């Protein structure tokens, strides 16, 4: 980071995340401030912008400044803003959206670099989102393990039972229904295109097996990695405030929304970036 920065940055936790204050995202962010946001994002992986009561058009405007906005394949967007999907849990529902540790839509051939999630309606307490730093998770592995997984490709699927079930119970996906399966292949370890660092890229929501192994053969190593990657030494958590918007980097971060507010409503607006 440069010595001077156009806003204040306070780390959320040591492994991951930072709180950004003093930015007004209702207006287009110009030049240096945008560069500062990018370098803070590279360093902290998850940025929390508090005090942003943005309209959908303003949230979308900020997203366009970060990159190309893409549609989420499984959920219908807002009527006037199809790029924005509502992430909702209603008082009578028991499952929450994305309630398994994951990186977003790794079953796409080109998974999104970033997700921008804005709090619209929060429960009186609970509903925090946890984040895990996949650079640290990779770095902490033994050299032998790194050598093995550096060579492996992983099959990613949209239809792993726990995730697909949670999704189809909650969301009106219209004609696309939860029955379609999308799959993609990605390296188990990816090199971040901006930082050049290696990040572990398997997740329990979508990673099914290693391409060159059967499911049964893949299981022990995958389970080990799923457990390893959410070690508290790599994670941090954000307790949502009204008007907060969070930007996370799907290439080196996993996230997990806590489902601890039954009987209350939680509504977030999500945009994904190519
Ligand atoms: C998502 C997601 C987390 C949350 O929108 O991709 O996983 O805290 N949401 O709602
Ligand atoms: Mn998600």
């Amino acid at each position: 980071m440069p010595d001077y920065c156009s806003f204040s940055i306070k780390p959320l936790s040591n492994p991951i995340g930072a709180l950004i204050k003093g930015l007004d995202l209702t207006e287009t962010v110009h030049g240096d401030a945008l560069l500062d946001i990018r370098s803070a994002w590279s360093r902290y992986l998850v940025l929390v912008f508090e005090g942003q009561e943005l309209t959908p058009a303003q949230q979308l405007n900020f997203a366009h400044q970060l990159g190309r906005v893409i549609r989420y394949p499984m959920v219908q967007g807002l009527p006037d803003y199809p790029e924005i999907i509502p992430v909702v849990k209603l008082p009578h529902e028991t499952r929450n959206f994305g309630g398994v540790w994951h990186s977003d839509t790794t079953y796409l051939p080109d998974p999104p670099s970033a997700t921008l999630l804005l709090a619209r309606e929060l429960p009186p307490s609970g509903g925090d989102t946890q984040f895990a730093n996949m650079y640290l998770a990779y770095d902490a592995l033994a050299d032998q393990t790194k050598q093995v997984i550096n060579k492996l490709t992983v099959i990613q699927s949209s239809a792993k039972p726990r995730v697909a079930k949670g999704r189809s119970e909650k969301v009106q996906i219209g004609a696309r229904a939860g029955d379609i399966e999308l799959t993609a292949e990605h390296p188990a370890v990816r090199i971040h295109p901006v930082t050049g660092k290696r990040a572990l890229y398997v997740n329990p929501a979508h990673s099914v097996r290693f391409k060159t192994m059967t499911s049964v053969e893949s299981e022990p190593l995958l389970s080990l990695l799923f457990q390893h990657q959410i070690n508290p030494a790599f994670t941090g958590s954000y307790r949502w405030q009204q008007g907060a918007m969070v930007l996370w980097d799907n290439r080196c971060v996993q996230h997990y929304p806590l489902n601890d507010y039954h009987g209350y409503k939680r509504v977030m607006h999500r945009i994904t970036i190519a």
Side-chain angles (χ1 to χ4, degrees):
M1 294 296 302
D3 294 339
Y4 172 80
C5 182
S6 29
F7 44 81
S8 86
I9 305 175
K10 193 172 137 223
L12 206 58
S13 70
N14 277 339
I16 191 163
L19 265 175
I20 305 292
K21 287 194 179 160
L23 258 183
D24 176 8
L25 299 179
T26 62
E27 305 283 338
T28 297
V29 180
H30 287 291
D32 287 349
L34 198 57
L35 288 176
D36 290 345
I37 290 173
R38 287 192 187 284
S39 56
W41 191 40
S42 283
R43 171 156 169 196
Y44 295 101
L45 324 188
V46 175
L47 298 184
V48 179
F49 303 93
E50 285 190 340
Q52 311 292 336
E53 298 286 347
L54 303 185
T55 63
Q58 289 164 338
Q59 187 190 6
L60 202 53
N61 182 48
F62 181 55
H64 284 307
Q65 290 199 269
L66 298 172
R68 187 166 57 83
V69 167
I70 51 172
R71 303 269 180 102
Y72 177 69
M74 299 292 173
V75 180
Q76 201 103 55
L78 299 180
D80 294 336
Y81 297 94
E83 307 93 332
I84 302 181
I85 65 151
V87 170
V88 180
K89 181 170 178 255
L90 298 173
H92 69 273
E93 291 178 318
T94 54
R95 288 171 193 270
N96 62 342
F97 178 85
V100 183
W101 274 101
H102 66 284
S103 168
D104 287 328
T105 50
T106 58
Y107 48 79
L108 296 178
D110 262 317
S113 60
T115 303
L116 194 58
L117 194 68
L118 172 67
R120 288 281 175 213
E121 215 178 314
L122 295 170
S125 62
D128 300 1
T129 305
Q130 299 186 332
F131 297 96
N133 181 328
M134 292 301 108
Y135 295 134
L136 294 180
Y138 175 77
D139 289 344
L141 292 167
D143 287 343
Q144 285 290 340
T145 310
K146 287 179 185 160
Q147 281 172 30
V148 170
I149 63 173
N150 276 331
K151 296 195 203 90
L152 294 174
T153 297
V154 181
I155 309 292
Q156 309 276 352
S157 162
S158 64
K160 275 187 96 172
R162 242 176 100 190
V163 176
K165 187 146 189 286
R167 206 193 287 123
S168 59
E169 196 181 69
K170 308 191 52 41
V171 200
Q172 331 74 17
I173 325 166
R176 309 203 62 165
D179 332 320
I180 50 162
E181 180 181 11
L182 302 176
T183 61
E185 294 175 7
H186 295 295
V189 176
R190 62 182 295 182
I191 297 178
H192 193 287
V194 176
T195 64
K197 295 198 286 188
R198 284 174 192 266
L200 189 54
Y201 199 63
V202 299
N203 73 83
H206 306 310
S207 304
V208 177
R209 64 178 174 86
F210 297 111
K211 186 181 178 185
T212 49
M213 297 183 201
T214 64
S215 303
V216 173
E217 288 161 345
S218 306
E219 217 281 323
L221 181 51
L222 274 180
S223 307
L224 180 145
L225 295 172
F226 295 159
Q227 259 195 15
H228 164 80
Q229 65 193 175
I230 56 168
N231 184 313
F234 317 140
T235 70
S237 183
Y238 179 59
R239 174 154 303 165
W240 287 89
Q241 304 287 312
Q242 196 60 44
M245 183 166 67
V246 176
L247 172 70
W248 66 76
D249 187 332
N250 283 301
R251 299 163 293 192
C252 53
V253 175
Q254 287 190 45
H255 55 282
Y256 176 74
L258 292 180
N259 188 11
D260 57 354
Y261 52 95
H262 295 314
Y264 293 98
K265 189 175 177 188
R266 181 176 182 272
V267 181
M268 318 295 269
H269 280 180
R270 169 181 142 157
I271 298 176
T272 39
I273 296 164

